[in-house]
Amino acid sequence: MSEGAPSWNALAGQVAELARRVSELEERLGSGAGGPEGENEPADAYWVLPQLRERLQEVAHGGILFAGSVAGSGGERAEWERSATTDSVLSSDWSELADTLGALGQPVRLRLVQALLEGRTAVAELLELDGLGTTGQIYHHLRQLVSAGWLETTGRGRYRVPPTRLIPLLVVVTAARR
């Protein structure tokens, strides 16, 4: 783990604290969010959707919004927001996204990205992890992730998730959960 980077346990503690605070807010709002994501929640439990609906009043098929504000492994704040109308997303050429999405569609690459987000930034640190392969294989996977824009080099043998890609990456991972 790099010097000054928060440990996985520290991040897990922060996430647990956030979960506790969200639960308190839900109780105050009376949402009773008893089921899995979104199940059994009254419409007023949402705070972004009313604003999105208002902004998209003139759009026939609605739209989407993704946003986030997180602290990176180095403590820097990353904030990101992207919105689009449904029609613009549906009419775009999705085949152009294949390389970007495909770069994440490999278990070793996902483990590498997760390890980088946990604070490991050097290939030497990544080599310590079991099951990631040889040095050459790791560099191959890192090159694919850099080419797709999910990672960038920060020096010889050092990588990171660019701040502008941190929240999109977390959105993709969150969306992939069932």
Side-chain angles (χ1 to χ4, degrees):
M1 180 152 315
S2 63
E3 210 173 290
S7 70
W8 179 247
N9 289 337
L11 289 173
Q14 291 173 343
V15 168
E17 174 62 17
L18 284 172
R20 184 191 63 74
R21 291 172 60 192
V22 167
S23 293
E24 284 181 11
L25 288 172
E26 287 174 338
E27 285 180 26
R28 285 188 207 157
L29 292 172
S31 72
E37 296 177 316
E39 249 183 61
N40 302 323
E41 289 186 27
D44 64 349
Y46 298 108
W47 53 280
V48 173
L49 282 176
Q51 292 178 27
L52 182 61
R53 278 189 214 107
E54 185 178 320
R55 285 186 169 207
L56 295 173
Q57 286 180 38
E58 306 297 318
V59 179
H61 296 110
I64 59 165
L65 170 70
F66 296 101
S69 177
V70 300
S73 61
E76 72 283 357
R77 172 108 356 240
E79 294 185 328
W80 181 86
E81 179 179 307
R82 174 80 47 95
S83 61
T85 64
T86 304
D87 291 336
S88 69
V89 173
L90 292 176
S91 66
S92 65
D93 182 2
W94 289 14
S95 65
E96 294 175 356
L97 307 173
D99 289 340
T100 303
L101 293 172
L104 294 175
Q106 211 282 345
V108 170
R109 291 184 195 148
L110 289 171
R111 286 190 62 208
L112 286 169
V113 171
Q114 188 175 24
L116 289 164
L117 290 175
E118 290 170 350
R120 293 174 180 91
T121 61
V123 172
E125 294 170 313
L126 297 171
L127 280 166
E128 296 170 0
L129 300 172
D130 290 331
L132 295 183
T134 65
T135 304
Q137 291 169 325
I138 288 176
Y139 273 110
H140 166 76
H141 290 302
L142 291 170
R143 276 193 303 275
Q144 295 295 315
L145 291 162
V146 169
S147 176
W150 294 114
L151 298 182
E152 66 184 7
T153 58
T154 60
R156 189 177 177 119
R158 299 187 88 69
Y159 296 84
R160 74 175 186 158
V161 174
T164 57
R165 299 300 283 159
L166 177 57
I167 293 168
L169 175 66
L170 296 174
V171 167
V172 168
V173 170
T174 301
R177 291 181 170 176
R178 296 181 188 202

